[in-house]
């Protein structure tokens, strides 16, 4: 322990690695307890903002037969000190080395964290490749949005849990405990787990190719399911939610009580993977949400509550919920935020809500300044409605507005950048007319990145030269009142490649990590040249993967993962989009 204190004295933010937070859970390691380490492949500040990890951590720790701890990707200074001292990366609660746990479960929510997974395993003393792990090493599993195409990282994981983790993880651990009592043989253990709901064991499947073309996956032996169906929480009203949550020691990105009021989205935006994989819509009642908020406040003292969903404006009687929550927390200095307000006529019905929540800035996501593109991608927003919504917000005290756009769709007009800037100016001037001062407009622009299980999964990403032209035009329109942020093009290119790739990418990811790639989601650390060399050394082209158009009749690397949405329906949606003619 003295050695660890010496290490922490030399790093910039020791609070990331100390543990000991209020409401964290510390248990004694005993033989009859299964030890689980929840791993988030980014910094403490990012990982502790992730609601899914909080839910699983407390859910598992409510069981006496399970010990659950946390670990996050170390910053460069901590990694340096770990290597210098010979100390392994460890669980925060007990400071036990990673390789001493029974199960390590990673949350994969962003493709650019993949090299951090490899780095954390290496620093924790765990074999990076699944095929090289001994019987004594932990079982390494993963869940999260990226697992809807697990193939690019299939070489590094023993199993993937597809779907809602709070539904599948407890049963997975029970099956693991039972199988462990029968045999310590790793292959037999994995075979016994492969038939569980939502569980995919990649080593039990063989990928087939014809040259560069992916032909499909097939089980290596009888008894292994051909496909894996995701698990879902059907009774969302009574789904587990931790009231006594950890209070972080350092300021995190989203320092708040986050409460899901609805899971799933009633809209059908054709680019949106979150909508596709979270069907059907499930709703928590107002009474249940209020009870969660009150009890969580008692245990944490959080001064901000965020009401989360993919489209909160579609929550039944959202205005009533906000009004009642404000009554519950009158005089306590607690503010409400609603991060996902969709712009439609429902917004006009919520004046009480608009005036009640904090004036820290309102976010709208038109996605495109072109009506034709919006209709084609399924984002049907009327600009008159958008302007009226902005005007209403400004009348209730807002001074800032954030707009999200995507660019790079097939058939996009040449003047898309100009249209985006013109819209931002119009919205800024609306406040000027109403109150004498123009609004600050932040324009966040991301290149379109195709995602699995969406109608646009077959469409490749646009080239960087076209996207660079749009970026330059947007930057020229930036002013003191209108600030433009454009996501890094090379990071987006890599994301597109990793999101739709097959399992041959595993070796490329491994090569990139060996060359020094890590923290790729952080612009200051991202080095695109490393990735280009890794692809080249493995005889692949990163642009081929990112820009590839799949034939709608072809087998896709993620076809064995089933979300409950028929592939035929996705084809119909692609053809119904006007983008299809440009895709062909």
């Amino acid at each position: 322990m003295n050695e660890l204190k010496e290490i922490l004295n030399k790093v910039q933010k020791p609070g990331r690695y100390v543990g000991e937070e209020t409401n964290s859970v510390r248990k004694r390691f005993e033989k009859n307890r299964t030890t689980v380490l929840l791993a988030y492949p980014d910094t403490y500040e990012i990982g502790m903002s992730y609601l899914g990890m909080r839910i699983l951590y407390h859910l598992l720790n409510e069981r006496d037969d399970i010990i659950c701890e946390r670990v996050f990707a170390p910053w460069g200074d901590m990694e340096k000190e770990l290597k210098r001292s010979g100390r392994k990366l460890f669980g925060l609660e007990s400071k036990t080395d990673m390789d001493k746990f029974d199960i390590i479960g990673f949350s994969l929510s962003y493709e650019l964290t993949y090299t951090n997974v490899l780095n954390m395993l290496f620093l924790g003393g765990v074999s990076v490749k699944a095929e090289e792990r001994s019987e004594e090493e932990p079982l390494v599993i993963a869940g999260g949005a990226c697992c809807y195409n697990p193939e690019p990282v299939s070489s590094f994981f023993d199993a993937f849990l597809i779907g809602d983790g709070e539904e599948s993880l407890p049963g997975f651990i029970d099956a693991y405990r039972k199988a462990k009592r029968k045999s310590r043989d790793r292959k037999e253990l994995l075979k016994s787990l492969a038939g569980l709901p939502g569980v995919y064991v990649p080593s039990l499947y063989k990928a087939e190719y014809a040259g560069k073309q992916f032909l499909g996956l097939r089980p290596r032996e009888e008894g292994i399911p051909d496909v894996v169906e995701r698990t879902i929480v059907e009774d969302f009203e009574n789904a587990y939610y931790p009231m006594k949550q950890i209070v972080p020691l350092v300021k995190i990105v989203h320092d708040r009580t986050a409460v899901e009021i609805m899971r799933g989205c009633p809209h059908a935006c054709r680019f949106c993977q979150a909508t596709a994989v979270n069907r059907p819509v499930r709703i928590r009642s107002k009474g249940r949400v209020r009870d969660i908020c009150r009890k969580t406040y008692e245990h944490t003292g959080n001064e901000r509550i965020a009401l989360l969903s993919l489209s909160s404006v579609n929550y039944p009687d959202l205005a009533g919920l906000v009004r009642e929550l404000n009554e519950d927390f009158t005089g306590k200095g607690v503010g409400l935020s609603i991060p996902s307000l969709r712009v439609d006529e429902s917004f006009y019905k919520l004046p009480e809500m608009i005036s009640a929540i904090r004036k820290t800035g309102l976010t709208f996501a038109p996605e495109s300044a072109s009506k034709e593109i919006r209709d084609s991608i399924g984002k049907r927003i009327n600009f008159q409605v958008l302007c009226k919504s902005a005007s209403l917000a400004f009348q209730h005290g807002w001074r800032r507005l954030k707009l999200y756009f995507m660019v790079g769709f097939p058939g996009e007009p040449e003047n898309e950048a100009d249209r985006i800037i013109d819209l931002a100016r119009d919205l800024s001037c609306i406040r000027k007319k109403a109150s004498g001062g123009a609004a600050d407009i932040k324009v966040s622009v991301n290149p379109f990145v195709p995602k699995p299980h969406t109608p646009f999964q077959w469409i490749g990403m646009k080239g960087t030269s076209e996207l660079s032209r749009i970026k330059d035009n947007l930057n020229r329109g930036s002013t003191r009142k209108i600030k433009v942020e454009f996501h890094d093009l090379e990071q987006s290119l890599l994301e597109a490649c990793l999101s739709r790739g097959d399992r041959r990418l595993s070796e490329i990811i491994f090569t990139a990590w060996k060359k020094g790639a890590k923290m790729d989601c952080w612009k200051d650390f991202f080095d695109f040249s490393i990735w280009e060399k890794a692809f080249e050394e493995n005889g692949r082209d990163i642009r081929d993967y990112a820009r590839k158009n799949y034939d709608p009749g072809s087998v896709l690397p993620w076809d064995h993962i089933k979300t409950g949405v028929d592939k035929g329906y996705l084809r119909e949606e692609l053809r119904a989009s006007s983008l299809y003619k440009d895709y062909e």
Side-chain angles (χ1 to χ4, degrees), residues 325-344:
L325 284 173
N326 273 290
E327 292 172 358
D328 291 339
F329 291 100
T330 297
K332 296 180 180 178
V334 176
L336 300 179
S337 65
I338 306 175
S340 51
L341 282 173
R342 182 184 173 94
V343 184
D344 62 19

Side-chain angles (χ1 to χ4, degrees), residues 13 20 27 59 122 148 163 183 197 206 241 273 299 306 310 325 330 364 406 459 469 508 525 534 546 554 559:
K13 293 185 178 180
E20 305 294 333
K27 296 180 179 179
L59 173 65
F122 174 75
Y148 285 97
S183 171
K206 179 178 176 58
Y241 183 90
Q273 187 186 53
H299 291 294
L310 293 173
L325 284 173
T330 297
F364 293 140
M406 280 194 290
I459 300 176
R469 176 183 55 78
I508 295 171
F525 290 89
S554 64
D559 275 349

Side-chain angles (χ1 to χ4, degrees), residues 180-209:
K180 268 288 193 182
R181 288 194 290 267
K182 292 182 178 179
S183 171
R184 294 186 60 84
D185 182 82
R186 199 176 191 90
K187 185 176 180 181
E188 290 301 315
L189 173 65
L190 291 172
K191 283 173 63 177
S192 69
L193 297 172
L196 296 174
V199 175
Y200 170 54
V201 179
S203 63
L204 301 180
Y205 296 78
K206 179 178 176 58
E208 298 178 336
Y209 309 93

